[in-house]
Amino acid sequence: MLGNLRPTEIVLILVVILLLFGAKKLPDMARSLGKSARILKSEAKAMKKDDEAAKTAEAPTTAPADPAAQAAPRTIQAAPGDVTSSRPVTEPNRTAQG
């Protein structure tokens, strides 16, 4: 379908997109699209890695002595360049102040 588009049609589509969204929003949209693609790619790699690890350790021969070590929480890594979600978020214990 996209192979049938001529250069004039592609330019027309780009002009319409520019008129609809404006020049100020397009860089932000492209940035968020790139960030989403990086996150999707890293999650797909993590899923493949988890799947391969599950296949290799399909039948464990010994159980771990510490049950807390077995139930460790899974951490999702942030995308490269994403500094806002790269650090773990912990909320301090809030006590009643009077």
Side-chain angles (χ1 to χ4, degrees), residues 47-84:
M47 288 175 64
K48 285 182 183 179
K49 186 177 178 182
D50 288 346
D51 194 31
E52 290 173 1
K55 285 181 182 178
T56 58
E58 196 169 88
T61 55
T62 59
D66 186 16
Q70 186 179 14
R74 183 170 178 255
T75 304
I76 297 175
Q77 297 294 326
D82 184 14
V83 296
T84 58

Side-chain angles (χ1 to χ4, degrees), residues 2-93:
L2 293 176
N4 296 338
L5 292 177
R6 291 177 286 189
T8 55
E9 294 170 340
I10 293 173
V11 170
L12 182 65
I13 290 171
L14 292 175
V15 168
V16 168
I17 290 173
L18 184 63
L19 289 175
L20 286 176
F21 295 109
K24 292 182 181 179
K25 289 187 180 182
L26 285 179
D28 292 334
M29 290 173 53
R31 199 172 298 118
S32 64
L33 182 65
K35 190 181 289 187
S36 299
R38 282 192 302 268
I39 290 171
L40 180 65
K41 185 178 178 181
S42 66
E43 287 299 315
K45 284 183 181 179
M47 288 175 64
K48 285 182 183 179
K49 186 177 178 182
D50 288 346
D51 194 31
E52 290 173 1
K55 285 181 182 178
T56 58
E58 196 169 88
T61 55
T62 59
D66 186 16
Q70 186 179 14
R74 183 170 178 255
T75 304
I76 297 175
Q77 297 294 326
D82 184 14
V83 296
T84 58
S85 62
S86 63
R87 288 177 242 113
V89 178
T90 57
E91 292 186 21
N93 293 336

